[in-house]
């Protein structure tokens, strides 16, 4: 059972922003002799993807990796355009819930992201970041979910006890890692899960 938190922690993709990696595959298909189905099979969240999210691999190196793996005859700028095509839009219902919640409690953002994506979504959705008391981005920390160290970093930085944080994320693996770290956590499949979580603890 959830208890009243002292702070809220939100994931970005799948919670606040709707994302679709199929849109990247579709954009890259114009630059590859491979069929789109094969591009989708070849693209996955591999070691280089994780390194990119930790900031261990910069965008230029990661895009070169994608070009080789997907046989893309595209410039880095064209690959990046496809890479950033994944952002469908803001999830309006959750944005409204965040706006309401931040008047009651500190709100923090914890996202697995990378320099190119963060630059893009920060510019595309300029009202998003001001809604948070702090932003924890994987590529800036050198840590990513579900690694336990990233949750410890959030706790140390915010000074909030683990049991006093309510975390919303759309990935079961991240939710389980957060719970092992002592946080309260809600798996998000839609904005309804966010609303029900906030209602359960009396935030809205």
């Amino acid at each position: 059972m959830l208890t009243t938190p002292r702070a809220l922690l939100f994931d970005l993709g799948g919670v606040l922003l709707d994302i679709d990696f199929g849109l990247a595959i579709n954009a890259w298909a114009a630059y590859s002799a491979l069929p789109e189905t094969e591009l989708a099979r070849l693209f996955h969240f591999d070691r280089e993807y994780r390194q990119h999210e930790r900031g261990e691999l910069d965008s230029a190196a990661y895009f070169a990796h994608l070009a080789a793996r997907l046989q893309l005859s595209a410039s880095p700028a064209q690959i990046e355009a496809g890479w950033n095509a994944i952002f469908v839009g803001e999830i309006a219902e959750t944005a409204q819930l965040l706006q309401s919640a931040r008047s009651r409690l500190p709100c923090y953002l914890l996202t697995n992201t990378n320099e190119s994506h963060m630059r893009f979504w920060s510019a595309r959705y300029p009202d998003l970041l001001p809604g948070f008391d702090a932003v924890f981005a994987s590529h800036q920390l050198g840590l990513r979910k579900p690694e336990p160290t990233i949750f410890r970093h959030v706790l140390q930085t915010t000074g909030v006890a683990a049991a006093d944080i309510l975390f919303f994320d759309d990935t079961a693996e991240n939710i389980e890692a957060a719970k092992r770290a002592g946080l309260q956590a809600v798996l998000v499949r839609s904005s309804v899960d966010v609303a029900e979580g906030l209602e359960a603890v009396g935030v809205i």
Side-chain angles (χ1 to χ4, degrees):
M1 178 177 290
L2 299 176
T3 60
T4 303
R6 290 179 50 223
L8 303 173
L9 183 64
F10 292 85
D11 178 29
L12 181 71
V15 175
L16 292 161
L17 296 181
D18 187 13
I19 60 172
D20 180 0
F21 276 91
L23 296 173
I25 300 300
N26 180 260
W28 292 330
Y31 306 106
S32 180
L34 299 175
E36 198 165 324
T37 52
E38 180 65 4
L39 293 179
R41 187 188 71 80
L42 289 171
F43 175 80
H44 57 89
F45 302 149
D46 55 12
R47 177 174 61 91
E48 289 79 5
Y49 177 92
R50 295 190 296 272
Q51 288 177 325
H52 189 213
E53 285 198 329
R54 290 194 202 95
E56 298 166 355
L57 202 64
D58 66 17
S59 291
Y62 182 63
F63 295 156
H65 165 71
L66 288 177
R69 182 169 184 81
L70 304 180
Q71 300 180 34
L72 303 178
S73 59
S75 69
Q78 290 167 328
I79 295 173
E80 183 170 26
W83 180 238
N84 287 327
I86 70 167
F87 295 100
V88 177
E90 194 168 13
I91 301 173
E93 297 85 356
T94 310
Q96 292 172 357
L97 292 167
L98 171 63
Q99 183 67 23
S100 177
R102 67 186 293 258
S103 67
R104 303 281 303 278
L105 290 173
C107 293
Y108 301 100
L109 181 68
L110 175 61
T111 177
N112 285 350
T113 190
N114 54 82
E115 57 180 342
S116 176
H117 276 170
M118 188 168 182
R119 185 168 56 247
F120 182 86
W121 55 254
S122 296
R124 175 65 64 89
Y125 311 104
D127 295 332
L128 184 61
L129 290 183
F132 293 101
D133 292 84
V135 174
F136 300 97
S138 62
H139 72 291
Q140 295 175 338
L141 301 176
L143 308 166
R144 69 186 294 277
K145 298 173 292 185
E147 297 163 3
T149 46
I150 199 165
F151 295 105
R152 289 199 292 268
H153 178 84
V154 169
L155 299 177
Q156 292 167 359
T157 303
T158 62
V160 181
D164 291 330
I165 293 180
L166 178 56
F167 175 51
F168 296 92
D169 196 287
D170 70 324
T171 303
E173 186 179 17
N174 296 341
I175 291 295
E176 292 308 312
K179 288 180 177 179
R180 287 194 297 271
L183 284 72
Q184 301 185 73
V186 172
L187 179 62
V188 176
R189 292 151 298 189
S190 76
S191 60
V192 173
D193 296 308
V194 180
E196 290 179 348
L198 294 175
E199 288 171 0
V201 296
V203 174
I204 60 171

